[in-house]
Amino acid sequence: MAISKDWYNTEFEENETESKHRPPSVEYSFYTAVKTGDMETVIQNCNADSFTNLEGTGVLSRNPVTNLKYHFVVTAAMLTRYCIDGGMEAEQAYRLSDFYILKMDSCTSLRQIADLHHTMAKDFTGKMILQKKLSVLSKPVMQCIDYIYAHIKDRITIEDLACHTGLSQNYLSRVFKQNLGISISDYIREKKIEKATHLLRYSDKAVVDIANYLSFSSQSHFIQVFEKFTGLTPKKYRDRYYKSMW
């Protein structure tokens, strides 16, 4: 009963002050721009700092920083669902959302939250641009890409992918190379090294632990492959880029 009474009192006060929420189409247009990979519109929105203009969005907390954090979570949730609807792999979308919400949780100012929001929006948009490019790929190649993403820490073989797609190894290898211009084995190594760069930037894992986590045969093999792709050893890469994005 107390909750109901509070609600009716609040509803009366809101009607008296005539405070109205802005139409949802304003937010939908932004979410749609991200979903469709319209980077120009998203950048314009970020440059205008539209996220910090909360007029008509509702008050979720009396504390300004907490209020903006709540709106950040709402935006992350909406972008996740819009991008999944646009073709982003669901697990990737949810992980990306979780990543940014956890980063936001440690922000202590409105400016930090807003800047992180802009980074998140452009990150989702960039991945949707890539998704549009990948949408022209054949179904078995997309199945391989999804499988590699989901099993990046495992030892992935062409045989695994052939079983996953129901195709012969030779045929799958040929189709993959035709679509992406790179062999399956090189693509797997490239994605593992991409994951390794993230771990070197944003975690404190030792190089040997990263090598084991990504199922390289040895630390020396990992270092050799890493240097081939990046031009730096893992240690030099970490020394140069550790947490540089933040």
Side-chain angles (χ1 to χ4, degrees), residues 1 3 8 12 53 62 90 97 99 144 146 171 174:
M1 289 297 293
I3 290 292
Y8 288 125
F12 175 78
N53 178 15
R62 303 299 178 189
S97 173
F99 170 79
C144 288
D146 288 343
Y171 178 75
R174 186 165 65 251

Side-chain angles (χ1 to χ4, degrees), residues 147 154-166 169 172:
Y147 184 93
D154 301 326
R155 181 177 177 272
I156 307 168
T157 66
I158 297 176
E159 183 181 2
D160 294 331
L161 296 171
C163 290
H164 181 65
T165 58
Q169 295 182 44
L172 181 61

